[in-house]
Amino acid sequence: MLGRKFISFFKRSPKLQVSSSASPDEGNNKSFGRKAVSFVLITVTGGIALSALDDLAIYHGCSSKAMEKASENQAIKDAIGEPIMKGPWYNASLAVAHKRNSVSCSFPVSGPHGTGVLQLKAIRNGEDTWFSFFRPRDWDIIIMDALLHIPGNEEKQQTMRISVSDYFPPPACTACTGCEVGEKDNPEKK
């Protein structure tokens, strides 16, 4: 139905007011030009709106997963108290890279005893198709830090950094000295 209205918009032509100096062909060209410009503006605006909605969905997915991890972390609960509340989305920052498969995000949090900022880096699991745009995405948080500010009455104010990552990188590669490679595996020893 929306498609029919859109097509009928281009089929209709406004009533032409022909002046003595303008020809009817000139009016048709101006009308087509206006419709083309309108179509381009509507298309660009729609693309920007879809991109913004996709970014909002990415932020919601990542921040929800981060809030779960923060609510489970005892050090954060001890520092700012419970319940931990997520701040407004417009105070957050979001950077998306690698065809929207990795994200870097930071957003404010608060609790009864203090405030802070959660910073995270995450990667997305799953395929990248048109249908994945409409489904919630599963994000794996690789790195997450909480920068917390705890105001004090008579004591100094306290600021702390708490790492909340579950990801541990693999151990560094070291040369294998105890192993001997067989002659059939290493043709250079022959």
Side-chain angles (χ1 to χ4, degrees), residues 79 113-115 149-159:
H113 304 300
T115 60
H149 175 72
I150 302 132
N153 293 336
E154 296 175 12
E155 302 171 6
K156 286 184 177 180
Q157 295 186 9
Q158 193 176 16
T159 302

Side-chain angles (χ1 to χ4, degrees), residues 28-81:
N28 285 337
N29 289 339
K30 286 183 181 179
S31 175
F32 179 75
R34 287 182 186 143
K35 288 179 182 179
V37 168
S38 297
F39 176 75
V40 168
L41 287 175
I42 288 170
T43 303
V44 168
T45 304
I48 291 171
L50 281 176
S51 176
L53 285 174
D54 190 37
D55 287 349
L56 190 60
I58 289 171
Y59 165 72
H60 178 70
C62 288
S63 63
S64 296
K65 190 99 170 199
M67 287 300 293
E68 286 175 20
K69 286 189 178 283
S71 297
E72 295 169 357
N73 189 294
Q74 191 61 41
I76 294 175
K77 290 192 284 187
D78 291 342
I80 62 174

Side-chain angles (χ1 to χ4, degrees), residues 7 14 30 64 71 74 80 85 93 101 104 112 134-135 150 160 167 176-177 179 185 190:
I7 292 172
K30 286 183 181 179
S64 296
S71 297
Q74 191 61 41
I80 62 174
M85 303 295 293
S93 69
N101 285 326
S104 177
F134 298 107
R135 290 188 304 217
I150 302 132
M160 64 177 60
Y167 177 77
C176 182
T177 57
C179 303
D185 294 337
K190 287 184 180 178

Side-chain angles (χ1 to χ4, degrees):
M1 183 163 156
L2 182 63
R4 285 188 220 155
K5 286 185 179 184
F6 187 71
I7 292 172
S8 69
F9 171 74
F10 285 103
K11 285 185 178 178
R12 275 187 273 149
S13 64
K15 294 181 182 178
L16 296 175
Q17 295 179 352
V18 180
S19 64
S20 59
S21 63
S23 69
D25 291 337
E26 226 176 86
N28 285 337
N29 289 339
K30 286 183 181 179
S31 175
F32 179 75
R34 287 182 186 143
K35 288 179 182 179
V37 168
S38 297
F39 176 75
V40 168
L41 287 175
I42 288 170
T43 303
V44 168
T45 304
I48 291 171
L50 281 176
S51 176
L53 285 174
D54 190 37
D55 287 349
L56 190 60
I58 289 171
Y59 165 72
H60 178 70
C62 288
S63 63
S64 296
K65 190 99 170 199
M67 287 300 293
E68 286 175 20
K69 286 189 178 283
S71 297
E72 295 169 357
N73 189 294
Q74 191 61 41
I76 294 175
K77 290 192 284 187
D78 291 342
I80 62 174
E82 288 186 272
I84 300 171
M85 303 295 293
K86 182 170 44 170
W89 63 268
Y90 50 82
N91 284 341
S93 69
L94 181 73
V96 182
H98 304 287
K99 296 182 181 179
R100 299 192 170 294
N101 285 326
S102 79
V103 66
S104 177
C105 180
S106 65
F107 59 92
V109 293
S110 62
H113 304 300
T115 60
V117 175
L118 290 182
Q119 298 174 331
L120 64 101
K121 293 188 186 307
I123 56 173
R124 179 176 67 169
N125 292 329
E127 73 279 352
D128 192 20
T129 63
W130 281 100
F131 297 115
S132 67
F133 181 79
F134 298 107
R135 290 188 304 217
R137 297 180 177 122
D138 185 28
W139 294 93
D140 283 335
I141 296 177
I142 297 173
I143 300 170
M144 186 167 121
D145 291 330
L147 303 171
L148 305 174
H149 175 72
I150 302 132
N153 293 336
E154 296 175 12
E155 302 171 6
K156 286 184 177 180
Q157 295 186 9
Q158 193 176 16
T159 302
M160 64 177 60
R161 176 184 215 115
I162 299 172
S163 179
V164 191
S165 296
D166 287 342
Y167 177 77
F168 297 104
C173 291
T174 56
C176 182
T177 57
C179 303
E180 290 186 29
V181 179
E183 285 188 20
K184 66 179 179 180
D185 294 337
N186 192 355
E188 293 176 8
K189 282 194 163 183
K190 287 184 180 178

